[in-house]
Amino acid sequence: MNKVFFFLFVFLSFVSAGNLDQIKIALNKEFTNNFPKIIITKIDLKTSPLPKDFEEYEFVRLGSGRFTRSIGFGRAEFKNAKNEQKNVFFKYFVKARLEAVKSISAIKKDEKLQAFHYKGVLLDFDKIPLNALSLDDAQNLIAKNNIKKNTILKENMFKTNALIKKNDPIIGVLKDKGIDVLIELVALQSGNLNEKVRAKNKDGKVMQGIVIAKDRILLQ
């Protein structure tokens, strides 16, 4: 009898761990969508007390969140065979590395950012300042003020000279058998005519397109 209880305990623990692993997988996807070149080495979770019948539930989705910092809070939705839903609240800890952009020379106010101004540097994710530029972002930018050498470059240090600006609402055009399907998106990069940019839809799906007009891209 003791063996039966032992194996049952191991089985339930395995199922619970599997559900928590689904949260980690979903978090990994969110961070990868937000930072395509991030190198994630570990994700840890600290959850609210799990329900006793947690093994009967399956992971559905993460609640909405920004998922832009190495430590944060989130909510995961689960449901069972009866379509009953439960929420699990958690705190996450992400260990990762991400490439940032560092100035290798001084940049003057109103000067356009050029390739000889900067280089890519790989940093611990928790050391990267909020809104740090990525190498993909370092285009069509003009310095708002003088920037010193050896500075980690951030979005708020620049103004954008582009048809499409990062975080702008835009329209993605998908051509399907001669019909144009229009999709509402949010730009993840700035871009000018004929440049490729990434964007995401309201469900967080990331796609890529070519700038064909102001606030409009042709999806590929």
Side-chain angles (χ1 to χ4, degrees), residues 27-70:
L27 280 172
N28 192 305
K29 182 179 179 180
E30 290 289 339
F31 276 95
T32 302
N33 281 342
N34 290 331
F35 308 98
K37 295 183 179 179
I38 194 170
I39 304 169
I40 298 175
T41 56
K42 188 177 182 182
I43 298 177
D44 288 321
L45 298 175
K46 184 177 181 181
T47 68
S48 56
L50 299 176
K52 294 180 179 179
D53 56 350
F54 189 53
E55 71 279 357
E56 299 177 7
Y57 286 77
E58 292 185 355
F59 175 77
V60 178
R61 67 175 71 87
L62 290 179
S64 59
R66 298 188 66 183
F67 306 114
T68 56
R69 308 307 297 158
S70 61

Side-chain angles (χ1 to χ4, degrees), residues 94-192:
V94 177
K95 289 186 69 67
R97 302 269 283 170
L98 183 65
E99 193 169 48
V101 180
K102 183 179 181 180
S103 60
I104 56 176
S105 66
I107 306 169
K108 295 180 180 179
K109 179 180 179 181
D110 293 327
E111 188 175 6
K112 184 176 180 180
L113 184 66
Q114 304 281 2
F116 57 78
H117 284 136
Y118 62 85
K119 67 177 181 179
V121 291
L122 197 62
L123 301 175
D124 289 337
F125 186 52
D126 59 356
K127 299 295 191 300
I128 293 182
L130 193 63
N131 295 325
L133 286 180
S134 70
L135 287 176
D136 289 338
D137 295 328
Q139 304 176 48
N140 306 305
L141 298 177
I142 298 173
K144 292 180 180 178
N145 296 291
N146 293 333
I147 300 173
K148 295 180 180 179
K149 181 180 178 180
N150 295 324
T151 300
I152 298 299
L153 302 182
K154 299 189 293 183
E155 293 175 9
N156 59 4
M157 296 176 177
F158 299 89
K159 50 189 175 184
T160 304
N161 181 25
L163 285 177
I164 288 178
K165 298 179 181 180
K166 186 176 181 179
N167 296 322
D168 277 354
I170 62 174
I171 297 296
V173 181
L174 180 64
K175 292 189 175 294
D176 184 17
K177 297 179 181 178
I179 299 175
D180 288 353
V181 179
L182 305 183
I183 304 173
E184 293 182 353
L185 303 168
V186 174
L188 297 177
Q189 294 173 275
S190 299
N192 274 317

